Amino acid sequence: MDDLDREILNILRRDARTPYTEIADRVDTSEGTIRNRVERMVESGVIDRFTVSTRTGNVKAMIEITVDVDVHTGGLTEEFAEWKRVDFVWQVSGEEDIVLVVDAADTDDLNELISRAREREEVMGTKTRLILDEWLG
């Protein structure tokens, strides 16, 4: 990856629907160059997916999960990623092992997700943080 790739990624992070012609104008290159670079970044896995960020008015939260030391978190994170209302699943370092970023309809819905996570025998504990506001970096 070079500086041009990073500029393209910064534009796409803010709006993945930005037309290639607009990106080309902003970074002073051709539309074909942008198209080729984006395709290459998709094929190489640099761009994992194009997604939608929403402001639904729902309760957004991070559910931080600690698992037993003997648990391989890979399978567990894949399962959590399939749950409805889960936007992201992160494997993290620190006291917690997994973080779920969720978009719940209300606090009862959020509490259901927390309880569901706690019911797993591999889960030793959870902490939940409400997301009060969101900014794109």
Side-chain angles (χ1 to χ4, degrees), residues 61-83 86-102 113-114 117-118 120-129:
M62 294 185 300
I63 302 172
E64 301 172 357
I65 300 171
T66 305
V67 299
D68 194 357
V69 70
D70 296 329
V71 173
H72 176 66
T73 56
L76 201 53
T77 56
E78 287 178 16
E79 181 182 328
F80 289 145
E82 296 298 318
W83 288 8
V86 172
D87 287 341
F88 298 97
V89 179
W90 301 326
Q91 290 184 29
V92 297
S93 63
E95 290 182 37
E96 288 74 29
D97 302 294
I98 300 170
V99 176
L100 309 181
V101 179
V102 302
L113 288 168
I114 296 166
R118 287 180 177 168
R120 299 294 310 246
E121 70 179 54
E122 304 96 330
V123 173
M124 305 305 293
T126 65
K127 281 197 252 181
T128 303
R129 300 174 190 267

Side-chain angles (χ1 to χ4, degrees), residues 15-131:
D15 183 358
R17 294 181 56 188
T18 305
Y20 291 162
T21 53
E22 183 180 326
I23 297 171
D25 288 343
R26 289 170 61 180
V27 300
D28 196 30
T29 192
S30 72
E31 183 269 344
T33 297
I34 300 301
R35 181 175 308 283
N36 291 335
R37 284 179 177 252
V38 170
E39 287 174 6
R40 183 176 39 97
M41 287 189 280
V42 169
E43 289 170 3
S44 69
V46 170
I47 296 176
D48 185 40
R49 64 188 170 129
F50 295 89
T51 188
V52 175
S53 177
T54 60
R55 291 192 181 264
T56 60
N58 291 348
V59 176
K60 289 194 173 191
M62 294 185 300
I63 302 172
E64 301 172 357
I65 300 171
T66 305
V67 299
D68 194 357
V69 70
D70 296 329
V71 173
H72 176 66
T73 56
L76 201 53
T77 56
E78 287 178 16
E79 181 182 328
F80 289 145
E82 296 298 318
W83 288 8
K84 291 181 181 176
R85 299 180 304 280
V86 172
D87 287 341
F88 298 97
V89 179
W90 301 326
Q91 290 184 29
V92 297
S93 63
E95 290 182 37
E96 288 74 29
D97 302 294
I98 300 170
V99 176
L100 309 181
V101 179
V102 302
D103 187 349
D106 52 34
T107 54
D108 288 337
D109 196 27
L110 174 61
N111 197 43
E112 179 186 317
L113 288 168
I114 296 166
S115 296
R116 189 172 171 194
R118 287 180 177 168
E119 288 171 357
R120 299 294 310 246
E121 70 179 54
E122 304 96 330
V123 173
M124 305 305 293
T126 65
K127 281 197 252 181
T128 303
R129 300 174 190 267
L130 293 180
I131 298 172

Side-chain angles (χ1 to χ4, degrees), residues 55 60 130-136:
R55 291 192 181 264
K60 289 194 173 191
L130 293 180
I131 298 172
L132 302 176
D133 203 354
E134 206 170 16
W135 296 89
L136 182 60

